[in-house]
Amino acid sequence: MVGAYISTYAIEGKEETIVATQFESHYARECFPCIDEPAAKATFDLKITTSDSDDEIIANTPVKAVEKSVENYSATFETTPKMSTYLLAFVVGKFHKKSLKNQHGVTITSYCSLAQDPKVLDFANEVAARSLDYYDDKFGIPYPLKKLDQVALPDFEAGAMENWGLVTYRESCMLADATSPIDVKKNVALVVAHELSHQWFGDLVTMKWWDDLWLNESFASVMEYFAVDALYPEYEIWEDFFTGDCLAALRRDSLPGVQAVQQDVNDPAEIATLFDGAIVYAKGAHLMLMLIRLMGEKRFFAGIKEYFKAFQYQNTIGNDLWDILNKHSDFSVKKFMNTWISQPGFPVITDEVQQRFSLGPSETSDNVSWPLPKISDDMSGHYLINLSGPEFADAIKNFGNLSLEQRLRLLIDRMLLAKTPLVSSSSLLDLIPEFKNEASSAVWDIIASIIADLKLFFPAGSEYESNFKAFLKNLVASQIQKLGVIPRKNESLNNTNIRKVVLGIACYAEDAEIMKQLADFYDDDFSRINPEIRDLVIDSKFYFDEDRFFPLFLKRYQSSSDPEERSALLFTISRAKSNKYTEQLINLLKQPKIVRPQDHLHFYIYLRRNYATKASALDWLLKNWSYVEKMTGEKSIEDYPRYTASSIRDADEAKLFFDFFTPLAETPVLARTLKIARAEIDSRLELIKSDTKSLEKHLSKY
Ligand code: BES
Ligand code: ZN
């Protein structure tokens, strides 16, 4: 799925073919000879010929002229602006399409395969039109092209790609309509807003070299939230940033060996190792937010406008941005940001004294410090605040008077501190019931994360696991009672989200009564199941009747073209427990015609979460590593050991894992991931050893 590649799909039994491109980071050279480095900007003229006159031919700029004959159809495109090769793109194939014009007069057209219903293009069109208008004003320079196209492709390695004027997407990241669940809409809105912010930050002004990739991605990763918050305030999207990206960044950044946001790259092969999403995207975005809160939004965006004016159609390094922001700030942005982006990790602050927060043995290099002009207890600081036991107890008593960000910080700090001897895991267990009646879905998101962490201590099938499940059933009962199992007309998005979280917990806890209620909403016509609980309904139905639904759902997965339905079905069948199906599931790992390579990693992760397939999935990976290497792009290969490591919780699996991967530890794409995996697994096994007994004891209280 890099260079120019072929994507296929079936419609009415016939195979259709699309040709598409993915040139970031260094794959334009696979398509045509060029100086394939971001600083080598040039203008490009393109002519594409296809044999099928029904094809759409799309590229960065509008079509200037077409020639049609019996055998051939050619399109010649307008000259591109001065740009980097990694942002060039073209797509050829048959599509449904829909267009609209935004307020600034740009024509936006969205495309999907013929297997889709064209109505799934409307939402992405609307978000694109509105975000372009938003950025035009926010960035002070109007979008410089006449058109913007967006294409949803059936095969796509990443989530989306910001090619100038021709943004490409994985189907699940672009297609949605009025009936899609709110989570799908939020995600589409964020992805579109992310890629469109790159049209300026990335496309108009581009990093000089890949070591400043973070500059592109961190900025886009914070802008997507500004844009979606401005366009869809009812989403309360910043809450998702705090409970999602921020938490993920802090978690990853606490592991010894983790990379810094800014990382040297000397060889193209090293570029692949840069994409630690939790760092380059999430931590980078969190640092940007910290800076924005310190400077004030007004001054920050005044600086950004100046930056685009000064550097349009050129290349920059991080310091070009900091130098301009310095002029708009009363502290040295350059010194502040350069320290934060060049040092891995973050501090924990105890009584105003800082120390690196690190899981596992501290390295000598941990004797570092970070500039902390103002310690704030909102969510903007990339650090932890270590309250003493009594301080924390007071804060919890006063919880109702805190702002939402203060509440989230309190809980996030606590759950991360509980991974160290500073705070015991059993105190988290005792903390959770305090939130039984909590009315904020963001707080429930954190509770769900804490619960996910605690699962670690209760092995599948053990007596303690069933005690833990009983504890959870009890925890969510009154919320489910209050909200009902089925969404109500005109309820708040907040309540819709809480319901999803608490029902998810009830299903994990195998609350038969709730699952029965959910299963009763099942309908073979999925569009008749309420979208907000559809996944849970399908899953519950399957839970009670695996024998009937495994073959049905597998078949349906193969024939469905709806990305949301497909991901729900794949997730559900991957939870099968009986032997006859678990074997089939493992075999699917090598059937790319059924589970597309783009979905393979997710499927593998699902199988690692199912206790009935956990061991055989690892066994499969180790036996089929060369197959995985061949199937997976450079950029994603390290995800396999990475996610495997995050699901290892006993010494036997750790041994299997390291016996296999240690000899590969020198491979550039794997080196860092394996080093982090070692620290992560060691510290997890240590934590299980030290905290399990007391957790079990506390559990018996409930
Ligand atoms: N530019 C990236 C995608 C990319 C990066 C492709 C490097 C190939 C190499 C794009 O802007 C991006 O960040 N996509 C994200 C989705 C985004 C909304 C976080 C992705 O693909 O995960
Ligand atoms: Zn991006």
Side-chain angles (χ1 to χ4, degrees):
M1 290 175 276
V2 293
Y5 69 95
I6 285 175
S7 172
T8 56
Y9 65 96
I11 177 156
E12 287 159 8
K14 207 175 129 247
E15 191 170 82
E16 281 291 338
T17 301
I18 295 167
V19 177
T21 57
Q22 170 61 46
F23 289 169
E24 189 176 11
S25 45
H26 54 289
Y27 302 104
R29 66 192 68 173
E30 293 192 359
C31 192
F32 65 99
C34 56
I35 301 178
D36 195 14
E37 296 188 2
K41 287 197 175 186
T43 62
F44 295 85
D45 289 281
L46 180 66
K47 179 177 179 179
I48 296 182
T49 303
T50 161
S51 54
D52 189 337
S53 61
D54 291 336
D55 277 343
E56 301 277 352
I57 310 180
I58 321 162
N60 301 87
T61 51
V63 174
K64 193 166 67 181
V66 296
E67 293 163 49
K68 274 195 184 178
S69 70
V70 189
E71 307 93 68
N72 283 328
Y73 165 33
S74 304
T76 307
F77 294 88
E78 290 180 11
T79 302
T80 70
K82 202 175 154 201
M83 64 186 285
S84 306
T85 48
Y86 82 90
L87 294 165
L88 292 168
F90 58 83
V91 176
V92 181
K94 294 187 193 59
F95 294 98
H96 291 306
K97 63 174 169 183
K98 279 196 174 182
S99 295
L100 80 177
K101 245 191 184 82
N102 77 349
Q103 285 175 6
H104 290 76
V106 179
T107 301
I108 289 132
T109 308
S110 293
Y111 297 79
C112 61
S113 88
L114 300 179
Q116 304 296 334
D117 182 333
K119 72 176 188 202
V120 297
L121 297 172
D122 292 335
F123 186 65
N125 253 350
E126 172 193 302
V127 180
R130 297 183 62 191
S131 7
L132 277 190
D133 281 328
Y134 172 79
Y135 292 137
D136 276 350
D137 297 337
K138 198 89 183 163
F139 295 156
I141 292 185
Y143 175 73
L145 301 178
K146 282 182 232 159
K147 62 93 176 172
L148 172 83
D149 292 325
Q150 312 193 93
V151 187
L153 294 164
D155 297 282
F156 198 81
E157 181 171 5
M161 178 65 211
E162 69 268 25
N163 315 300
W164 214 356
L166 171 49
V167 181
T168 46
Y169 297 85
R170 179 182 279 254
E171 289 181 333
S172 62
C173 290
M174 182 179 137
L175 306 180
D177 65 22
T179 69
S180 302
I182 180 69
D183 290 347
V184 170
K185 284 196 227 167
K186 278 180 175 177
N187 185 54
V188 168
L190 288 170
V191 178
V192 171
H194 175 106
E195 303 311 333
L196 297 196
S197 98
H198 277 316
Q199 304 297 302
W200 285 259
F201 212 111
D203 298 5
L204 182 65
V205 183
T206 312
M207 73 259 149
K208 219 171 235 142
W209 180 241
W210 296 106
D211 54 354
D212 275 321
L213 171 74
W214 65 275
L215 194 59
N216 263 2
E217 297 304 346
S218 307
F219 186 78
S221 298
V222 79
M223 278 319 300
E224 65 188 72
Y225 287 93
F226 275 101
V228 172
D229 188 47
L231 305 179
Y232 302 95
E234 68 278 18
Y235 289 179
E236 312 263 26
I237 202 72
W238 282 108
E239 294 185 10
D240 294 30
F241 180 73
F242 301 132
T243 61
D245 301 40
C246 271
L247 178 56
L250 290 164
R251 269 184 203 275
R252 183 82 179 158
D253 210 17
S254 61
L255 297 170
V258 72
Q259 72 176 69
V261 170
Q262 183 177 37
Q263 201 67 43
D264 281 354
V265 192
N266 299 306
D267 184 279
E270 282 179 33
I271 299 170
T273 71
L274 284 175
F275 288 94
D276 188 334
I279 301 301
V280 174
Y281 289 70
K283 180 183 179 181
H286 199 196
L287 298 182
M288 287 280 182
L289 181 66
M290 183 156 73
L291 173 65
I292 294 168
R293 290 260 172 105
L294 284 170
M295 281 182 74
E297 257 181 66
K298 252 215 171 105
R299 290 170 166 207
F300 178 82
F301 285 106
I304 290 293
K305 279 186 180 169
E306 192 180 326
Y307 172 79
F308 286 132
K309 265 228 172 71
F311 294 106
Q312 50 185 321
Y313 303 103
Q314 298 173 53
N315 294 82
T316 56
I317 57 173
N319 279 338
D320 293 325
L321 177 62
W322 309 144
D323 282 337
I324 285 186
L325 292 178
N326 266 344
K327 294 196 278 175
H328 296 263
S329 164
D330 42 28
F331 64 95
S332 170
V333 172
K334 191 170 175 174
K335 229 167 112 197
F336 176 78
M337 286 304 274
N338 277 332
T339 310
W340 275 100
I341 61 171
S342 64
Q343 289 177 188
F346 61 87
V348 51
I349 300 156
T350 312
D351 294 331
E352 292 178 30
V353 178
Q354 57 163 297
Q355 195 188 1
R356 177 165 180 187
F357 182 79
S358 177
L359 302 182
S362 54
E363 303 164 40
T364 37
S365 63
D366 288 355
N367 246 339
V368 287
S369 65
W370 286 263
L372 295 168
K374 187 173 126 264
I375 296 167
S376 162
D377 66 353
D378 63 15
M379 276 302 298
S380 68
H382 191 69
Y383 41 72
L384 299 185
I385 301 171
N386 177 21
L387 298 182
S388 68
E391 282 170 332
F392 182 73
D394 278 350
I396 290 294
K397 259 193 224 122
N398 189 36
F399 205 68
N401 297 322
L402 303 178
S403 72
L404 181 66
E405 284 190 39
Q406 288 172 316
R407 296 181 199 181
L408 295 177
R409 164 163 291 286
L410 209 55
L411 295 175
I412 287 175
D413 287 358
R414 206 66 181 171
M415 73 185 282
L416 290 171
L417 288 165
K419 294 185 180 298
T420 71
L422 290 170
V423 169
S424 72
S425 300
S426 53
S427 73
L428 286 184
L429 190 72
D430 293 335
L431 182 64
I432 296 175
E434 311 253 351
F435 296 94
K436 244 185 173 158
N437 300 315
E438 173 59 45
S440 148
S441 76
V443 172
W444 272 106
D445 282 336
I446 300 297
I447 302 294
S449 291
I450 295 178
I451 290 169
D453 279 359
L454 289 175
K455 285 180 196 171
L456 183 66
F457 298 95
F458 310 112
S462 68
E463 171 199 347
Y464 293 109
E465 189 200 39
S466 45
N467 293 350
F468 185 52
K469 288 184 172 179
F471 164 83
L472 294 178
K473 264 185 247 179
N474 188 23
L475 174 76
V476 295
S478 58
Q479 286 287 342
I480 297 179
Q481 181 79 28
K482 199 168 88 196
L483 296 168
V485 167
I486 191 97
R488 301 191 172 130
K489 253 202 186 118
N490 301 325
E491 70 180 6
S492 64
L493 290 181
N494 180 67
N495 284 355
T496 306
N497 287 333
I498 295 182
R499 178 185 302 96
K500 255 187 253 190
V501 175
V502 292
L503 286 177
I505 294 171
C507 289
Y508 162 74
E510 298 181 85
D511 186 324
E513 202 184 306
I514 302 293
M515 292 183 82
K516 191 94 205 29
Q517 287 185 47
L518 282 165
D520 282 345
F521 288 111
Y522 181 80
D523 191 315
D524 277 329
D525 178 354
F526 286 2
S527 71
R528 288 166 58 170
I529 310 173
N530 186 299
E532 299 299 343
I533 56 167
R534 193 182 289 146
D535 292 8
L536 293 163
V537 168
I538 293 172
D539 205 44
S540 299
K541 192 72 181 172
F542 182 81
Y543 174 84
F544 290 114
D545 201 352
E546 199 169 295
D547 280 327
R548 177 163 157 230
F549 285 99
F550 188 92
L552 273 178
F553 283 177
L554 177 56
K555 213 162 133 216
R556 188 161 179 162
Y557 171 74
Q558 285 173 254
S559 61
S560 168
S561 52
D562 175 350
E564 199 192 313
E565 180 173 312
R566 284 172 57 80
S567 81
L569 288 169
L570 189 63
F571 174 72
T572 294
I573 60 169
S574 72
R575 282 153 60 89
K577 298 290 184 288
S578 88
N579 277 340
K580 45 184 171 183
Y581 304 130
T582 54
E583 223 170 277
Q584 265 195 64
L585 286 169
I586 296 295
N587 288 337
L588 283 177
L589 283 165
K590 234 179 180 168
Q591 290 175 255
K593 284 256 178 298
I594 301 179
V595 179
R596 285 174 190 265
Q598 68 162 12
D599 298 322
H600 189 273
L601 174 70
H602 272 121
F603 181 52
Y604 171 76
I605 294 172
Y606 297 157
L607 294 181
R608 284 288 296 162
R609 284 195 197 142
N610 177 352
Y611 69 80
T613 47
K614 192 171 192 233
S616 45
L618 175 58
D619 182 61
W620 183 90
L621 182 74
L622 304 187
K623 289 205 174 101
N624 293 280
W625 179 249
S626 56
Y627 173 83
V628 175
E629 276 183 315
K630 236 183 267 150
M631 174 198 63
T632 311
E634 268 177 329
K635 184 166 151 275
S636 314
I637 186 74
E638 55 108 16
D639 286 340
Y640 285 85
R642 174 175 174 163
Y643 286 102
T644 304
S646 70
S647 62
I648 286 177
R649 45 147 300 134
D650 64 62
D652 294 343
E653 277 208 334
K655 183 167 180 335
L656 285 175
F657 179 86
F658 286 113
D659 283 352
F660 181 84
F661 281 111
T662 305
L664 304 179
E666 301 299 309
T667 329
V669 276
L670 298 178
R672 189 181 292 120
T673 298
L674 292 175
K675 186 168 174 222
I676 298 172
R678 172 59 81 183
E680 184 188 4
I681 291 172
D682 284 352
S683 74
R684 186 180 306 125
L685 296 186
E686 199 51 47
L687 188 66
I688 292 174
K689 218 193 278 163
S690 65
D691 284 20
T692 302
K693 275 267 137 27
S694 113
L695 266 167
E696 290 172 352
K697 214 166 114 215
H698 277 246
L699 199 52
S700 60
K701 271 200 325 213
Y702 296 99

